[in-house]
Amino acid sequence: MMKFRFRRQGADPQREKLKQELFAFHKTVEHGFPNQPSALAFDPELRIMAIGTRSGAVKIYGAPGVEFTGLHRDAATVTQMHFLPGQGRVLTLLDDDSLHLWEIVHHDGCAHLEEALRFQAPSRPGFDGASSLPSLSHITVVLLVAAGDMAALGTEGGSIFFLDVPTLTLLEGQTLGPDEVLRSVPDDYRCGKALGPVESLQGHLRDPTKILIGYSRGLLVIWNQAARCAERIFLGNQLESVCWERSGHTVVSSHSDGSYAIWAADTGDSPTAQPTVATTPYGPFPCKAINKVLWRSCASGKHFVIFSGGMPRASYGDRHCVSVLQAETLVTLDFTSRVIDFFTVHSMRPEDEFDEPQALAVLLEEELVVLDLQTPGWPAVPAPYLAPLHSSAITCSAHVANVPAKLWARILSAGEQQSPQPASGAASWPITGGRNLAQEPSQRGLLLTGHEDGTVRFWDASGVALRPLYKLSTAGLFQTDCEHADSLAQAAEDDWPPFRKVGCFDPYSDDPRLGVQKVALCKYTAQMVVAGTAGQVLVLELSDAPAEQAVGVASLDLLQDREGFTWKGHERLSPRLGPLPWPAGFQPRTLIQCLPPAAVTAVTLHAEWGLVAFGTSHGFGLFDYLRRSPVLARCTLHPSDSLAMEGPLSRVKSLKKSLRQSFRRIRKSRASGKKRTVAGSKLQEANAQLAEQAGPQDVEVTPVQRRIEPRSADDSLSGVVRCLYFADTFLRDAAHHGPTMWAGTNSGSVFAYALEVPAAAAGGEKRPERAVEAVLGKEVQLMHRAPVVAIAVLDGRGRPLPEPYEASRDLAQAPDMQGGHAVLIASEEQFKVFTLPKVSAKTKFKLTAHEGCRVRKVALATFASVACEDYAETCLACLTNLGDVHVFSVPGLRPQVHYACIRKEDISGIASCVFTRHGQGFYLISPSEFERFSLSARNITEPLCCLDIRWPRDATRVSHRSRESPKLNQANGSPGIILAPQSCDGSPDPICKGADTPEPAEAMLSPMSIDSATSADTTLDTTGDMTVEDVKDFLGSSEESEKNLRNLSEEEARACAILIK
């Protein structure tokens, strides 16, 4: 009998209103270092800095928490940026020769960045010679004169045009052509028939009518714009850059042969002069060009000369250097990435006679380095933001919310001991403009990132500025070849040039086996688990003092002597033996080595029981780290899982086999499809006839579920352990509850073990003689064998169980042990709730059947209401392979909202996503940047700041784009114009929403991210979960892409918030 499912009645208005009070999607802020920076600017009056990128992004930074972002409509490279001093305006030049004026506009006490005007240089004239006027060809340099009211544009043709900045219109009659300059130049100083492109323009600090013009062929001219004549002329080698000293008495030029020259600009009556000093700092052998040079004067007479490049071409031509010379002191700053630009922070007041530089800021391709020039030795200043997240490639990430104040202080203390100058770091940071209006967060959030070099970095993710706190390194525990290589490199290093390694960006890993794959942190006991690529699992504990101690080593064979399997991958890491010195911070206590040494795919920690569970592609293990003894080892390999034995570093031999298996599957599916053709066609005809004979025409039928083909049991890597989970629940019978451990695999298998944990161990540091025992209680096989992404146990009220120690220390409401418990199993295709202890199906939602997508990330989160302080709901948030975020009620699994979050093609961004327990999330939009988003209408972390600008502007003079200025979307192209929220009347929400929002009663239940029982916000890592399915998702059909675009346009149409804060 055919059953029809008719559409349910209309939505409940009360529930829809409640959804609006609970859920709202915002992309709020981007953490980390801008991807592919291309331009730099600094406003000495407002003390703010601007960075432009190759994707057309504009980012302005001030004091920590003061950030403004914008994006040019055309995805062109920002080549130059210039602040109008003190006005909160910045002029940008793109590589398509367009100029854009950006303004920081205040609205209701908060500021945002908007593009006000645009100027597009006219195209080059034709070759017919109809126009004899100088052409505004490719713009090479921009100079702001007359306090920013006018801009001089140097071009490739040698002409200089003048632009009215407030209107961005060309000023007629003031164009300075090369012919006019040549008439003022003696014949002896004419370098060929043409002067070449304008390489540099410099203005006089006290006399705005004078401009220093540098042409690429070596001619320097001090031009008096008022008198239209050349006052001084200098001729040098091929020019790279020019700097005019603040008094106007000295001109410094740098050249392509690695030399720089100092010219006296105020001596003699002759219009020509020779340099007073001409030197090649790293000669006499051929050197590379000095790309930029700065001269900064000091009252002591020991002036600074700072330049980039100029290294000996043969020996050090591949180095990225900035040299700082003061009197006889020369330091060659050696960086690991290309130098983009640099500036000094110094006095710009006209009444001051000397510059007296305070700091040097160098923008590199991968990081920003600031040096304190007033402290002997010129030490680097720790950056409170813009730290390079990718100093080593990120391999996994996790979030820990509501960090206790004691643990926070201890981590801060450990990080300060690692810093070279913790006391003066904050005071020495020179970029301090603006005021952060956001309230101090009442609770702290930690973002943990694991890296390829075996380090784990701790970041303060409580506010807008992602501040580095502490770095944990695990490489010191193992024997690697890096130390020997470093000693050889240092021995081969000469004393000249005087190199000094600066910066922390180091993309090269000494050993790929050191890479961190999983991390878990217990915030109440300060214990941590770090698992790596070579099967190493480290249990660490936070210590406030340095110590020298040996680390206990144990191994666990996950194959259990199974025959027919031979590991072909990398070898295990060799640990160092004997007592080892450890600095203050997290110190290793126990090392567990999985055998075979495959990458760890899942890990969880239960500090209250003293247990750690871990899984690889071969099986999972349970270890008692208090007694340092193994409890359980289970092999999950299928007889056909030969690919799992080859490891991530040895897949070449299996390429032919993988291709062979793929073609076999294709042929098999085609053959089975032909057999079903006749029966399928008859069934379709019958369905069509039934549809025509259906009931009333106005009744709509719910969409038909998609067909899900069951996965084969012999798929490769079916034994990969995807998730592990600890819970105190009912497994054996409904009358007795106790510790349990759950494991889910790639083939849809779920194993539940009942644990016997000695009661005396609760709260104690030492385990009694009786060992922990594990007995298999349940084993569940999902019908379609879809990979199990996450597991969580719900109490009698349908709420997630609290974290370890939360209930025993009265830090959260105790779970309901009277009603029946349930277990939520999330696979890639569906969510299903089973009752405990019978494990019978209670509720399910087939996400793949309804939406045509697969689950990639899952977490339980608390959503607080903006209308009622005490109301909150715990929901299930999931991210799919299409980049959409869905929210479901728990335990009913009813769909609440869904949003387009990440582009479907952005595989790395989807794989790196991390949910927090309060409805926020992070994902990588580039190797160096996390995009932060919020699903909660109440818990929003966004920039709320203002600037004290002196530009008198009419409040009504706002460009037509003030309501359409897009939020920065980096190279990954995050969809939609995502801006800060506004109230219904269009004004920005004055409430500072963020981590400081007090949590309602239900939030104290600590709903856990169901990927880990210890770190409530740990989700799957960046690289470890990238599978063949991810690549298949990327190669999706055009029909799905069009559907995504339609959904995207609908979401943009519903967006009503335009203000960037």
Side-chain angles (χ1 to χ4, degrees):
M1 178 178 177
M2 186 69 65
K3 293 184 179 179
F4 288 94
R5 295 174 54 200
F6 295 100
R7 187 180 61 177
R8 297 185 180 93
Q9 298 297 324
D12 183 10
Q14 293 294 332
R15 182 59 192 172
E16 293 301 318
K17 180 182 178 183
L18 189 57
K19 286 182 183 179
Q20 296 178 2
E21 297 171 354
L22 291 173
F23 311 110
F25 180 73
H26 305 281
K27 289 186 180 180
T28 55
V29 68
E30 290 168 359
H31 298 301
F33 184 77
N35 186 41
Q36 296 181 326
S38 57
L40 177 68
F42 179 69
D43 189 336
E45 293 189 25
L46 295 179
R47 310 278 284 197
I48 56 177
M49 174 185 65
I51 296 177
T53 70
R54 295 184 191 176
S55 59
V58 177
K59 295 194 171 189
I60 298 179
Y61 302 93
V66 178
E67 295 185 14
F68 306 94
T69 59
L71 181 67
H72 292 91
R73 290 192 176 273
D74 299 326
T77 300
V78 181
T79 57
Q80 294 184 42
M81 308 179 76
H82 301 273
F83 273 108
L84 280 64
Q87 300 184 17
R89 296 192 290 176
V90 62
L91 188 66
T92 61
L93 172 66
L94 306 187
D95 61 355
D96 62 356
D97 290 331
S98 62
L99 287 165
H100 304 258
L101 183 62
W102 294 81
E103 302 175 353
I104 297 176
V105 181
H106 287 74
H107 185 67
D108 286 354
C110 295
H112 68 277
L113 182 66
E114 68 178 39
E115 182 182 348
L117 295 172
R118 170 193 170 104
F119 169 79
Q120 181 65 54
S123 59
R124 303 188 184 192
F127 294 100
D128 55 358
S131 174
S132 61
L133 297 176
S135 63
L136 184 54
S137 56
H138 177 61
I139 300 175
T140 57
V141 63
V142 177
L143 170 68
L144 293 177
V145 294
D149 291 336
M150 185 169 62
L153 310 179
T155 64
E156 197 174 41
S159 301
I160 300 174
F161 296 82
F162 291 88
L163 193 73
D164 181 57
V165 173
T167 60
L168 283 194
T169 56
L170 284 176
L171 298 175
E172 298 181 1
Q174 297 195 29
T175 301
L176 178 61
D179 295 338
E180 186 176 356
V181 176
L182 281 173
R183 286 195 293 267
S184 302
V185 176
D187 295 339
D188 297 341
Y189 281 76
R190 297 189 180 186
C191 41
K193 296 182 179 179
L195 299 175
V198 178
E199 196 68 38
S200 179
L201 292 174
Q202 295 288 320
H204 197 290
L205 184 62
R206 295 184 173 91
D207 189 355
T209 62
K210 296 181 180 179
I211 299 176
L212 175 61
I213 308 171
Y215 294 94
S216 64
R217 294 191 178 180
L219 184 68
L220 300 176
V221 178
I222 296 180
W223 183 265
N224 191 322
Q225 181 67 3
R228 307 289 292 187
C229 67
E231 292 189 355
R232 305 288 293 172
I233 300 173
F234 318 95
L235 182 60
N237 299 327
Q238 177 140 356
L239 189 68
E240 291 291 329
S241 72
V242 174
C243 178
W244 204 353
E245 189 257 340
R246 67 182 296 136
S247 65
H249 301 329
T250 304
V251 172
V252 184
S253 61
S254 67
H255 304 276
S256 61
D257 60 355
S259 66
Y260 70 86
I262 301 176
W263 312 78
D266 59 346
T267 58
D269 299 330
S270 170
T272 63
Q274 295 296 323
T276 57
V277 175
T279 180
T280 304
Y282 298 107
F285 299 104
C287 296
K288 299 195 72 174
I290 294 180
N291 303 312
K292 180 177 180 178
V293 65
L294 294 179
W295 171 284
R296 296 294 178 251
S297 59
C298 297
S300 62
K302 299 179 178 180
H303 308 306
F304 280 91
V305 178
I306 306 171
F307 58 90
S308 62
M311 302 307 298
R313 187 177 296 274
S315 304
Y316 306 107
D318 58 343
R319 298 288 185 99
H320 310 289
C321 298
V322 171
S323 302
V324 182
L325 173 64
Q326 185 184 28
E328 301 300 324
T329 304
L330 173 64
V331 174
T332 307
L333 305 175
D334 188 11
F335 302 102
T336 55
S337 58
R338 186 169 60 92
V339 178
I340 303 298
D341 201 355
F342 58 92
F343 64 84
T344 59
V345 180
H346 60 278
S347 173
M348 290 293 291
R349 294 178 297 181
E351 61 269 18
D352 291 341
E353 186 177 354
F354 300 99
D355 294 315
E356 299 294 349
Q358 306 166 15
L360 169 66
V362 184
L363 176 66
L364 307 164
E365 199 167 32
E366 306 294 349
E367 61 183 324
L368 176 74
V369 176
V370 177
L371 276 73
D372 186 356
L373 297 181
Q374 293 183 326
T375 303
W378 304 330
V381 180
Y385 51 85
L386 282 181
L389 300 173
H390 64 317
S391 52
S392 177
I394 297 176
T395 51
C396 68
S397 52
H399 186 271
V400 183
N402 297 329
V403 178
K406 184 178 180 181
L407 175 61
W408 189 269
R410 295 178 67 189
I411 293 176
L412 233 63
S413 175
E416 288 174 354
Q417 296 183 46
Q418 293 179 335
S419 177
Q421 48 169 9
S424 61
S428 300
W429 184 251
I431 305 164
T432 57
R435 289 181 290 117
N436 184 11
L437 303 180
Q439 300 179 8
E440 188 70 18
S442 59
Q443 63 92 15
R444 299 290 183 177
L446 271 179
L447 181 64
L448 310 180
T449 55
H451 298 264
E452 193 179 35
D453 60 354
T455 59
V456 178
R457 286 173 167 82
F458 291 63
W459 307 88
D460 178 6
S462 309
V464 172
L466 192 68
R467 183 166 60 103
L469 300 179
Y470 166 73
K471 183 177 78 169
L472 164 67
S473 178
T474 62
L477 181 60
F478 304 101
Q479 297 177 5
T480 58
D481 297 331
C482 60
E483 293 182 356
H484 181 63
D486 289 345
S487 62
L488 290 178
Q490 292 176 2
E493 197 76 74
D494 296 330
D495 294 335
W496 182 262
F499 287 116
R500 173 182 158 194
K501 288 285 186 182
V502 183
C504 61
F505 176 71
D506 185 10
Y508 307 106
S509 175
D510 300 316
D511 193 327
R513 297 175 296 174
L514 291 172
V516 177
Q517 293 296 321
K518 294 291 179 181
V519 292
L521 173 67
C522 177
K523 59 189 178 185
Y524 299 112
T525 60
Q527 293 178 340
M528 185 176 182
V529 175
V530 178
T533 304
Q536 70 271 25
V537 180
L538 269 174
V539 181
L540 307 100
E541 189 172 358
L542 183 60
S543 176
D544 298 327
E548 185 172 346
Q549 60 187 8
V551 178
V553 180
S555 61
L556 193 60
D557 184 10
L558 299 180
L559 289 182
Q560 296 296 289
D561 301 326
R562 183 173 294 194
E563 297 180 356
F565 291 94
T566 303
W567 174 248
K568 303 176 184 178
H570 49 256
E571 297 294 327
R572 57 184 289 183
L573 285 165
S574 300
R576 298 177 186 272
L577 302 177
L580 299 173
W582 302 105
F586 282 93
Q587 300 172 353
R589 297 288 187 258
T590 306
L591 169 63
I592 308 139
Q593 179 63 55
C594 299
L595 297 176
V600 178
T601 57
V603 73
T604 187
L605 170 71
H606 202 294
E608 195 168 3
W609 300 339
L611 299 175
V612 58
F614 44 86
T616 68
S617 56
H618 308 121
F620 56 89
L622 180 64
F623 193 84
D624 180 355
Y625 62 83
L626 294 182
R627 296 182 75 248
R628 295 185 178 178
S629 63
V631 177
L632 168 70
R634 173 69 182 256
C635 181
T636 56
L637 283 177
H638 190 268
S640 64
D641 276 348
S642 58
L643 190 60
M645 302 306 297
E646 298 185 6
L649 305 181
S650 177
R651 296 287 175 85
V652 179
K653 296 180 181 179
S654 64
L655 179 59
K656 293 182 179 179
K657 182 178 179 181
S658 300
L659 291 173
R660 196 181 307 119
Q661 291 176 349
S662 300
F663 283 117
R664 285 176 180 173
R665 290 196 193 98
I666 294 173
R667 287 196 297 266
K668 182 179 178 181
S669 62
R670 287 177 177 175
S672 60
K674 291 178 180 178
K675 295 178 182 179
R676 292 194 301 263
T677 302
V678 179
S681 60
K682 292 181 178 179
L683 181 60
Q684 291 176 2
E685 292 176 1
N687 287 339
Q689 293 178 0
L690 288 172
E692 293 175 358
Q693 299 172 3
Q697 298 294 326
D698 57 342
V699 177
E700 296 184 12
V701 183
T702 57
V704 179
Q705 295 186 8
R706 294 171 175 82
R707 180 183 180 87
I708 303 177
E709 295 291 341
R711 306 191 185 197
S712 174
D714 60 356
D715 281 347
S716 299
L717 299 177
S718 62
V720 175
V721 177
R722 294 291 296 271
C723 61
L724 294 163
Y725 179 71
F726 285 117
D728 184 359
T729 186
F730 302 90
L731 187 61
R732 294 178 175 174
D733 55 63
H736 304 88
H737 63 87
T740 62
M741 187 196 76
W742 301 72
T745 71
N746 224 30
S747 60
S749 299
V750 178
F751 304 92
Y753 284 83
L755 307 178
E756 289 289 341
V757 181
E765 295 184 358
K766 293 185 178 180
R767 179 79 71 196
E769 294 300 324
R770 191 161 63 91
V772 178
E773 297 179 1
V775 178
L776 181 62
K778 305 288 182 182
E779 185 173 347
V780 180
Q781 177 62 58
L782 299 182
M783 182 181 302
H784 294 294
R785 299 182 179 274
V788 178
V789 177
I791 301 172
V793 172
L794 308 176
D795 67 3
R797 293 188 294 267
R799 297 173 178 175
L801 300 182
E803 293 184 40
Y805 284 110
E806 280 192 335
S808 60
R809 297 185 180 181
D810 294 329
L811 300 172
Q813 186 178 351
D816 182 7
M817 292 297 184
Q818 303 301 322
H821 282 199
V823 58
L824 169 63
I825 299 177
S827 72
E828 284 191 357
E829 297 179 356
Q830 68 179 7
F831 309 123
K832 205 164 188 178
V833 176
F834 297 89
T835 60
L836 289 178
K838 293 183 178 181
V839 193
S840 58
K842 181 179 180 182
T843 312
K844 68 178 177 180
F845 183 86
K846 297 181 179 179
L847 189 69
T848 301
H850 285 278
E851 307 294 337
C853 56
R854 297 186 186 276
V855 178
R856 288 289 176 258
K857 302 287 179 175
V858 168
L860 287 169
T862 299
F863 294 88
S865 171
V866 294
C868 180
E869 291 282 338
D870 300 328
Y871 184 79
E873 290 186 7
T874 299
C875 296
L876 178 71
C878 83
L879 175 70
T880 70
N881 61 335
L882 301 180
D884 298 333
V885 177
H886 298 254
V887 179
F888 298 88
S889 63
V890 174
L893 297 182
R894 295 185 180 88
Q896 301 299 306
V897 290
H898 74 276
Y899 308 102
C901 181
I902 311 175
R903 286 190 309 117
K904 167 188 171 182
E905 295 81 8
D906 188 7
I907 301 176
S908 177
I910 294 174
S912 64
C913 183
V914 175
F915 288 108
T916 76
R917 63 186 300 175
H918 298 310
Q920 296 193 32
F922 303 83
Y923 70 93
L924 287 173
I925 57 174
S926 72
S928 60
E929 287 178 291
F930 272 111
E931 174 80 70
R932 187 172 192 147
F933 63 90
S934 175
L935 304 173
S936 171
R938 176 173 169 184
N939 186 23
I940 303 175
T941 302
E942 59 184 353
L944 294 172
C945 50
C946 67
L947 273 178
D948 297 325
I949 59 178
R950 62 171 175 81
W951 178 43
R953 69 188 298 273
D954 188 0
T956 61
R957 184 183 176 273
V958 180
S959 68
H960 66 281
R961 290 190 56 200
S962 63
R963 293 296 177 185
E964 299 178 1
S965 179
K967 181 187 179 298
L968 172 62
N969 294 327
Q970 273 291 10
N972 79 321
S974 304
I977 298 177
I978 311 298
L979 305 155
Q982 288 188 332
S983 57
C984 298
D985 59 353
S987 61
D989 193 346
I991 301 176
C992 175
K993 306 172 201 170
D996 55 326
T997 306
E999 295 300 326
E1002 185 172 345
M1004 298 304 294
L1005 287 175
S1006 307
M1008 306 175 65
S1009 167
I1010 57 184
D1011 182 43
S1012 170
T1014 305
S1015 174
D1017 308 288
T1018 305
T1019 58
L1020 303 181
D1021 63 62
T1022 302
T1023 58
D1025 299 320
M1026 193 172 293
T1027 62
V1028 178
E1029 297 297 332
D1030 295 324
V1031 182
K1032 290 179 181 178
D1033 300 335
F1034 176 74
L1035 301 174
S1037 63
S1038 59
E1039 185 177 339
E1040 291 178 337
S1041 301
E1042 293 176 359
K1043 177 185 176 183
N1044 292 336
L1045 291 174
R1046 287 196 300 270
N1047 295 338
L1048 172 61
S1049 61
E1050 292 174 2
E1051 293 294 333
E1052 288 183 350
R1054 288 196 294 266
C1056 64
I1058 311 297
L1059 179 66
I1060 298 181
K1061 298 179 183 175

